[in-house]
Amino acid sequence: PAGYPPPAGYPPPGYAPPGYPMPPGPGPMMPPLWPAPAPSRGAAPWWALMFGGLGLGSALALLWNLLMRRRAQQRALDSAPMMQAALNGSDAQGQGAVTAAGGRASANASSVARLEELATHMRRHVEETREATASLRRTMEQQQRQYQAAVSDFQRKLEEVQRKKATTATTRIEISAESLQVLRSLTASGVGVA
């Protein structure tokens, strides 16, 4: 049982001598089905965390991306002179004899093509942003018109209610002389008064 031990001279809770009913309260506790875990001694070392699932996966993904990016860049630089030569219509000997200056020029041409592609993407994104902004502006203007219409409708109804209150407050009720006589006779005779 968990908690403090029973005071001296008293049996532990959940205990009854044979032939006596069990005292009220919680019954005896069952032993655990598995041993309790050992207490932790602090945080794990940094290298254990790094080689643990998420840290190791992140580090490998970073290295893989860096290596693949460099390989792709190198392939693009290597294939750029051949593509340039193919576009120029040169023969197989001209393709194999690219000088260092020609390689730099083709690399510049590929970077210019890449920049043009990026500029095209940027123009498309700018156009999409303009369209989204115009749509948002139209929606906001529509909501503002609806809000103003609701406020003016509320004000108009409030004024109508106030006008009705003002007209009902000034309406006088006149009681005839006969009705007053009947009321006086009722109150004087005590009829209806408990």
Side-chain angles (χ1 to χ4, degrees):
Y4 294 105
Y10 291 97
Y15 170 79
Y20 288 95
M22 186 73 113
M29 289 183 57
M30 296 289 296
L33 299 176
W34 55 86
S40 65
R41 297 185 182 153
W46 66 269
W47 53 267
L49 292 175
M50 188 179 115
F51 290 118
L54 189 59
L56 182 62
S58 299
L60 288 176
L62 177 68
L63 290 174
W64 182 263
N65 285 337
L66 288 175
L67 289 174
M68 288 297 117
R69 185 181 306 153
R70 291 202 180 176
R71 282 187 183 171
Q73 288 174 348
Q74 189 62 37
R75 270 190 256 130
L77 289 176
D78 291 344
S79 65
M82 287 184 248
M83 291 177 67
Q84 188 69 26
L87 290 173
N88 290 339
S90 62
D91 58 1
Q93 290 178 352
Q95 288 179 1
V98 174
T99 62
R104 273 187 256 133
S106 64
N108 287 340
S110 69
S111 65
V112 168
R114 179 74 178 145
L115 288 175
E116 288 175 359
E117 181 183 347
L118 287 174
T120 305
H121 284 295
M122 288 299 291
R123 285 187 196 105
R124 187 174 38 207
H125 286 296
V126 165
E127 187 59 35
E128 289 173 1
T129 304
R130 272 194 202 119
E131 291 171 6
T133 303
S135 174
L136 180 64
R137 183 178 294 126
R138 284 191 302 269
T139 304
M140 293 297 289
E141 288 171 354
Q142 181 182 7
Q143 283 183 340
Q144 190 173 9
R145 284 192 300 270
Q146 289 173 349
Y147 175 75
Q148 289 172 348
V151 167
S152 64
D153 186 43
F154 177 76
Q155 287 175 344
R156 185 174 41 83
K157 290 186 188 247
L158 184 63
E159 289 170 359
E160 286 177 17
V161 168
Q162 288 176 346
R163 257 188 272 126
K164 285 181 183 177
K165 280 186 179 178
T167 58
T168 57
T170 57
T171 306
R172 296 186 62 140
I173 299 174
E174 294 187 22
I175 301 175
S176 66
E178 298 152 355
S179 299
L180 285 173
Q181 289 289 338
V182 171
L183 283 173
R184 278 190 199 125
S185 67
L186 287 174
T187 54
S189 65
V191 176
V193 178

